[in-house]
Amino acid sequence: DRDKGGRLRSLIDAGVVAESDLNILIDDRQKFLDSFVGAGGIGIQYDFRSPQSAVGELDRLVGTDL
């Protein structure tokens, strides 16, 4: 789905996920991240030149060693 925020809202409205869940999108496109964050999710910027930064941010959010 190209509308990441709309998709998140539809999943929340359908009861598939809750707003209180840890809804995370990892993407390299800022517009998708902005849409997802605007819908209440958490966005992590991915950069193929340094993928470890996205992994580190995800690790920080979920609190496990990946």
Side-chain angles (χ1 to χ4, degrees):
D1 196 324
R2 296 196 65 76
D3 180 5
K4 308 301 184 190
R7 180 68 175 149
L8 176 57
R9 290 300 331 154
S10 69
L11 291 171
I12 291 170
D13 292 344
V16 176
V17 298
E19 286 190 54
S20 60
D21 288 344
L22 196 56
N23 298 304
I24 301 171
L25 174 67
I26 300 173
D27 204 298
D28 63 339
R29 293 159 292 192
Q30 191 63 48
K31 67 180 182 179
F32 291 157
L33 292 169
D34 291 344
S35 172
F36 194 78
V37 170
I42 298 169
I44 297 176
Q45 182 78 42
Y46 176 79
D47 183 343
F48 72 92
R49 293 168 293 198
S50 60
Q52 192 58 36
S53 65
V55 172
E57 181 65 14
L58 181 60
D59 183 42
R60 185 187 67 75
L61 288 169
V62 298
T64 62
D65 291 323
L66 301 175

